[in-house]
Structure formats: structure tokens, C-alpha cells
Amino acid sequence: MATMVLDVGGTAIKSGLYENGALSDIQETSTEAKEGARHVVSRMKHIIASYQNTHTFHNIGISTAGQVDPSSGCIIYANENIPGYTGTKLKEIMEQEFQLPTAVENDVNAAAIGEAAFGAGKGQKDFVCLTYGTGVGGAMFTNGKLYSGSSHSAGEFGGIVTHPEDRNPGKDLFSGCYERYASTTALVKNAMALNPSLSNGRAIFEHQADPEVKQAIDRWIMEIVYGLITIVHMANPSCAILGGGVMEQPYVLQQVQEKLYQNIMPSFRHVQIKKASLGNQAGMLGAAVLNNPPA
């Protein structure tokens, strides 16, 4: 039985069909997020309808940016990357439109669910998953199940305060917090201060031989470690799965593990540091699993 899956991000909406453990007919559509929630939902409907013209599927799974109540399929909080998205009743909207059972989950949670079923988290009962990109997203698995917290928002690791000296919540709620220093955005900002052409992770690592650039990379890696010290000591996971395009750089993963082990208690050093293995399909696979739990 096929499932229609969507992975809604601020830049692109990835879509495809899931059946028998695999994705097919994968497509990517610009989100046009700045046009607002109503426009983004309209684009989602159009994508699903276009698949209906050529395929048969029996349910819909959606991975999306924003904090999600999976029971109601409502966006309980989203920042201004998609204006007006907070409060969107995504499950209700899609079920009314297509008359098909629809499941909705936060994108990082969905990616962690995908990794648990098919990727780096397979066989791991207690793990954390973090993505480093525009910000820092997170998810937690305990005893083989996603831990959602009391209001479906657990795993907001980007909000850990790592620099209290910079804290000014009245001006910026995330001031002094992990994602302001450990995100890829932070790395790019610091690298561009050295060389304006270093505007993405790939360009930065191409210039890693430059001593100043390497220093910026190493400082950023320590920022990743600072947050992980707290997360590992708090959650005691068997592994930490790190995602985001910049984690394709072997140097980053190797240095994170080495520096982390130097900064945590010996009884926690069994924790494995793994690269997320499903790439940009993790969210779609997780969305599929919402409707089709693996045996």
C-alpha cells in the first residue's frame, strides 16, 4: 500500500511515494515560504494532487518545519521562516481535501524516526539526533520510542544556553544559545568575516588549509561539543546522530568525537558519534513510517 510523503522545509518541499520500504518518484518544489502559510499549504495540495493524477496511494505522511502536535496534526509553533504557519491544522486540511488518513510530524523528529527505522539509529534504543543547518534541531529516542515531552516539543537543543555572557532574551530569545554558535549559519558568518567568498560550508572546507579558516572551523567544532556535553550527560544516549550537509566532512565528525570524549565523564564515553545516513530522504522516510510502522 503506497503512501504519499512530503518533507516541508523553508527552502524546498521534497515529495515522493513510499511503498515496500523504498521511496520512488522523488521530486523537489520550491517552498516559496516567504509568501506565507496559506501559499505553502496551497503548494502542498497542488503537489499531492499532481501525484494523484498518475499514482494510487492510500494515506499521506508529512514532515514539516515547526513544532507539531502529532495527535491533531496542528502546527503549534513556527518562526517567521513560514509567516502565519503557527496554528495551521495541517492534518485536518489535508484529510478534508483528499479524504485520506494523514499523519504530521516535526521535520527533525521525522528524520530521527527515519534514521531509527532505516539508518544510523537502527537497533539503537536510546539516542539523540541533531541537525546543524540554519539553526540546530534535535530529537530524542528513549527505549526505542520518540520522546515528545509534555507539549510535543522535546529536543529543542538549540535553546541550550552555552554563552550566558551573551544572554539578552528581551532582544533575542535565542541569544547566548547553542544554535547561535553551533549552527552552520554561525560557521558561515564567522568565515565570511575572514573572506566574503566563504558563503557556504563547501567553500569553507575547500579553504581549510588556510590557518585562519581552520581556526574558525575548530572554534565552531568546539561550539558543537559544548552543547553535546550537556546533552550527553543529561540524556545518557548510546549514540548521537549528527545531520546537516556540513557533517559530510569527515574532519568534523572525527574532531567532535575526540573533543567530546575529553570533556565528558568516563562512564559516558561509550556514546557513539554517527553521521546521519539517510541524507535528504530521512524526513520523507520518517513521514512514511508514521503511517507504516516497520515490523
Side-chain angles (χ1 to χ4, degrees), residues 10 20 34 55 58 120 135 196 223 230 245:
N20 299 324
K34 294 302 179 187
H55 300 87
H58 299 87
E223 296 292 351
T230 295

Side-chain angles (χ1 to χ4, degrees), residues 11 15 17 21 37-38 47 72 75 81 120 135 139 155 174 180 190 207 218 220 224 243 249:
T11 303
S15 57
L17 287 173
R38 185 173 296 181
I47 292 166
S72 67
I75 309 300
N81 287 340
F174 276 77
R180 290 287 183 262
N190 292 331
H207 288 78
D218 288 343
W220 170 72
I224 292 175
Q249 299 290 334

Side-chain angles (χ1 to χ4, degrees), residues 184 187-188 198-208 245-246 249:
T184 306
L187 172 63
V188 170
L198 303 181
S199 58
N200 57 64
R202 184 173 298 164
I204 292 167
F205 280 90
E206 285 174 354
H207 288 78
Q208 189 174 352
V246 75
Q249 299 290 334

Side-chain angles (χ1 to χ4, degrees), residues 74-137:
C74 180
I75 309 300
I76 55 179
Y77 174 76
N79 62 26
E80 286 306 301
N81 287 340
I82 306 179
Y85 205 35
T86 299
T88 300
K89 297 178 179 179
L90 210 49
K91 173 182 171 69
E92 180 180 309
I93 290 168
M94 295 306 172
E95 289 187 340
Q96 286 181 356
E97 181 78 13
F98 298 103
Q99 298 298 303
L100 292 172
T102 300
V104 184
E105 182 56 273
N106 163 266
D107 52 1
V108 183
N109 284 350
I113 291 167
E115 292 287 348
F118 304 105
K122 193 168 185 179
Q124 303 280 349
K125 286 191 172 183
D126 301 279
F127 70 90
V128 294
C129 184
L130 294 98
T131 57
Y132 298 85
T134 305
V136 176

Side-chain angles (χ1 to χ4, degrees), residues 22-39:
L23 293 168
S24 63
D25 198 3
I26 297 171
Q27 300 176 24
E28 191 168 301
T29 308
S30 175
T31 309
E32 299 179 359
K34 294 302 179 187
E35 298 296 321
R38 185 173 296 181
H39 180 78

Side-chain angles (χ1 to χ4, degrees), residues 47-254:
I47 292 166
I48 295 169
S50 70
Y51 276 79
Q52 272 191 323
N53 291 333
T54 52
H55 300 87
T56 299
F57 46 88
H58 299 87
N59 46 39
I60 299 168
I62 300 173
S63 158
T64 180
Q67 295 175 8
V68 176
D69 177 349
S71 59
S72 67
C74 180
I75 309 300
I76 55 179
Y77 174 76
N79 62 26
E80 286 306 301
N81 287 340
I82 306 179
Y85 205 35
T86 299
T88 300
K89 297 178 179 179
L90 210 49
K91 173 182 171 69
E92 180 180 309
I93 290 168
M94 295 306 172
E95 289 187 340
Q96 286 181 356
E97 181 78 13
F98 298 103
Q99 298 298 303
L100 292 172
T102 300
V104 184
E105 182 56 273
N106 163 266
D107 52 1
V108 183
N109 284 350
I113 291 167
E115 292 287 348
F118 304 105
K122 193 168 185 179
Q124 303 280 349
K125 286 191 172 183
D126 301 279
F127 70 90
V128 294
C129 184
L130 294 98
T131 57
Y132 298 85
T134 305
V136 176
M140 302 171 63
F141 261 68
T142 61
N143 198 28
K145 295 180 180 180
L146 179 73
Y147 176 71
S148 298
S150 62
S151 63
H152 314 289
S153 304
E156 283 286 353
F157 299 134
I160 294 171
V161 175
T162 55
H163 287 268
E165 71 278 7
D166 294 336
R167 190 81 177 127
N168 185 0
K171 183 178 179 181
D172 173 9
L173 195 58
F174 276 77
S175 60
C177 288
Y178 191 37
E179 75 170 38
R180 290 287 183 262
Y181 306 89
S183 61
T184 306
T185 301
L187 172 63
V188 170
K189 179 182 177 182
N190 292 331
M192 288 183 70
L194 301 172
N195 180 344
S197 71
L198 303 181
S199 58
N200 57 64
R202 184 173 298 164
I204 292 167
F205 280 90
E206 285 174 354
H207 288 78
Q208 189 174 352
D210 180 326
E212 285 190 322
V213 174
K214 186 175 184 300
Q215 279 187 354
I217 291 170
D218 288 343
R219 284 195 299 270
W220 170 72
I221 287 171
M222 281 308 303
E223 296 292 351
I224 292 175
V225 170
Y226 293 149
L228 286 175
I229 293 168
T230 295
I231 293 165
V232 167
H233 281 141
M234 176 181 66
N236 191 26
S238 60
C239 77
I241 299 170
L242 310 185
V246 75
M247 291 300 163
E248 296 298 321
Q249 299 290 334
Y251 178 77
V252 176
L253 221 63
Q254 179 264 322

